[in-house]
Amino acid sequence: MPEGPLQVGAPDPERETSPILDEDEMEDIEPAGPGGYCQFNGVLFRLGDYVLSGSELLRCETPGVWVREGELRTDRPGRS
């Protein structure tokens, strides 16, 4: 079983990726469509799922957008 969120890499402009927003931008979003999932490079994720895009932690939220949660360092020394 993997530790922590799935590393999805950078958004590929050739593939479908749901909008990536900061928490304060959420109030400006109006639901459009079913909104029961997010996409990242064409892969579907459920609401509440977390992914890593590089070191940026993203959370899938209604109405199907990614919300930035902050940075997650994966280079901490002394981890095994």
Side-chain angles (χ1 to χ4, degrees):
M1 177 175 237
E3 280 186 37
L6 177 66
Q7 178 58 257
V8 293
D12 181 345
E14 300 292 318
R15 295 183 175 167
E16 186 74 29
T17 296
S18 300
I20 300 172
L21 307 172
D22 290 318
E23 187 76 41
D24 60 347
E25 295 175 297
M26 285 296 293
E27 59 195 47
D28 300 329
I29 297 299
E30 301 219 4
Y37 60 88
C38 297
Q39 289 190 66
F40 201 101
N41 290 342
V43 178
L44 297 179
F45 293 89
R46 294 174 294 179
L47 296 176
D49 281 351
Y50 287 83
V51 297
L52 276 173
S53 178
S55 63
E56 187 170 51
L57 184 62
L58 306 173
R59 180 184 78 242
C60 179
E61 285 291 324
T62 304
V65 296
W66 293 107
V67 178
R68 290 182 180 95
E69 289 286 307
E71 298 283 318
L72 186 64
R73 294 193 51 168
T74 58
D75 61 346
R76 286 181 263 172
R79 291 186 74 193
S80 51

